[in-house]
Amino acid sequence: MDKIRIRGGRSLRGKIPISGAKNAALPLMAASLLSDETLVLRNLPHLADIATMTHLLAQHGVEVSMAGEHPGGGHMGHVLKLRAGAISSTEAPYDIVRKMRASVLVLGPLLARCGQARVSLPGGCAIGTRPVDMHIRGLEALGAEIELDDGYIIAKAPHGLQGGVVVFPRISVGATENLLMAACLAKGEVVLENAAREPEVGDLANCLNRMGARIEGIGGDTLRIQGVDRLGAADYAVLPDRIEAATYAIAAAITGGEVELIGAQPETMEAVLAALSQANVNVQRTECGIRIGGTDAGERNGGVIGIDVTTAPYPGFPTDLQAQMMALMAVADGAAMITETIFENRFQHVPELMRMGADIAVKGATAMVRGSGGPGGSGLHGAPVMATDLRASVSLVLAGLASAGETMINRVYHLDRGYERLEEKLSACGADIVRLTE
Ligand code: UD1
């Protein structure tokens, strides 16, 4: 199994190109099931999760072909053509779904297009139980008949899905996306209330509209969809990854460096940019993206200071950046209180960060981080570590960049699910980071 070795203590300096957003790409790929015409997706990141979704769609009968890369090279994203001319299987098997929870996003499109679907329950996962009850209740509100049998969701809508009102009891990105896709082919009007407002949901809605869907209210918490008989072809570029961009912003801050995030969209990152600013990190919009770190006409002096952060649905502070922020707070000057409100078991990076010297106490959903920063270095030291999920893994990479000595990250496959060419992007800015293949 591959490992990543980091020798910490170097400030990052340079430019980092931001890839297409994984969490937008996955539902967009699933949307190809809704039409028998070709969906061309541009700016897809090259990631293990994208390969898993390709594999799943192929076994539903979708013809997937790589249409080359964006001019300018590997970092600029890949182009996939997806054509679901005929759906050969409406089953999403356990072997694929267990690898990637987002596989459940094929449920809505398959049911809407074919009137039936059999999709494995994703089961537990490292960051909590993550049920799919809201996906199921929502589809039932549109007339689907659903039962659970033998670990599978068996959904039927022999006469098609109907219009209806779905009020989500709490905000769910995946449930909103599944319902949004299903609603496009329903008979009548579907209203989704308390919908997730994440930019990735907006990206999906915009692409569906290009395919001929009639969705209104994009970006808001109420989505109104007038069902249509069929969807057609579209050509769509995936939005830049705000989580990847913010992770590299934190990499710049944690090493006291200065990095420009090329292609990052600051308007999708307001909560995290505000948090970084509050933590005394210089944040500047540029023509090409965002510059993080450095000093701006002497306005900011000194290092990172501790701040309190609470995760919340968009436009709040993303749960997908909680672990990375904790790594930054571990080296800040002063204390920070980090509260996780989205997932119940998302502090698995804490013991690993503590092995690197971080001072963190967890009580319930809150972590108290006493930063080691201030004059005289970060106070963290390298160690062999491993992590159990994607964002936890990258928080250990960030801590490693700020640590004295050598950090060895095990279970690198978590990183490969969500960060395209991580070690390449970081080493281009001066980090001492290498992948060791065993
Ligand atoms: C998506 C993102 C993930 C991110 C999360 C929250 C993708 C591929 N993944 O995951 O990176 O961390 O949003 O921003 O886009 N819940 C229920 N019942 C349901 C569905 C969800 O109780 O039917 C709960 C979950 O357990 C969790 C909360 O709702 O506590 C939010 O989850 P949700 O927004 O659905 O996350 P995902 O879509 O799985």
Side-chain angles (χ1 to χ4, degrees), residues 17-21 43 45-46 75 239-242 244 262 420 425:
I18 301 307
S19 298
N43 198 33
H46 192 71
H75 284 314
L239 94 167
D241 196 320
R242 64 195 168 100
E244 187 203 25
I262 306 297
E420 184 177 25
K425 290 188 184 187

Side-chain angles (χ1 to χ4, degrees), residues 113-331:
R113 168 112 179 253
C114 308
Q116 60 175 45
R118 188 168 184 270
V119 176
S120 171
L121 282 165
C125 94
I127 59 172
T129 48
R130 301 183 85 174
V132 287
D133 55 313
M134 290 194 280
H135 302 237
I136 293 173
R137 296 285 102 75
L139 292 168
E140 283 175 342
L142 305 189
E145 291 161 22
I146 300 186
E147 51 185 89
L148 300 181
D149 185 35
D150 216 9
Y152 276 77
I153 305 165
I154 299 167
K156 291 191 185 106
H159 308 295
L161 293 169
Q162 312 298 318
V165 179
V166 176
V167 185
F168 295 109
R170 59 184 295 204
I171 293 171
S172 162
V173 175
T176 302
E177 291 168 342
N178 234 336
L179 265 292
L180 186 60
M181 289 187 277
C184 291
L185 297 180
K187 296 184 182 77
E189 183 185 73
V190 175
V191 182
L192 304 179
E193 288 183 12
N194 200 27
R197 296 166 57 195
E198 268 65 3
E200 295 76 18
V201 176
D203 214 36
L204 173 64
N206 285 325
C207 177
L208 290 167
N209 276 352
R210 292 257 185 100
M211 294 167 75
R214 292 174 58 202
I215 303 167
E216 283 174 18
I218 298 172
D221 60 4
T222 301
L223 295 167
R224 247 170 225 286
I225 306 109
Q226 310 295 332
V228 295
D229 289 340
R230 59 183 302 279
L231 295 183
D235 189 320
Y236 195 79
V238 179
L239 94 167
D241 196 320
R242 64 195 168 100
I243 305 297
E244 187 203 25
T247 300
Y248 291 127
I250 294 174
I254 207 168
T255 61
E258 184 175 345
V259 167
E260 189 174 5
L261 308 165
I262 306 297
Q265 280 183 356
E267 59 278 17
T268 62
M269 297 169 60
E270 281 178 7
V272 64
L273 296 179
L276 287 172
S277 241
Q278 199 193 337
N280 202 33
V281 177
N282 198 23
V283 175
Q284 269 187 304
R285 294 177 183 222
T286 64
E287 253 174 48
C288 309
I290 309 169
R291 184 161 45 241
I292 300 290
T295 45
D296 178 26
E299 275 174 26
R300 291 188 192 256
N301 287 306
V304 177
I305 55 174
I307 58 158
D308 295 345
V309 170
T310 299
T311 63
Y314 192 84
F317 190 93
T319 174
D320 283 354
L321 290 170
Q322 179 256 108
Q324 299 90 314
M325 198 63 181
M326 194 177 298
L328 180 63
M329 291 297 100
V331 306

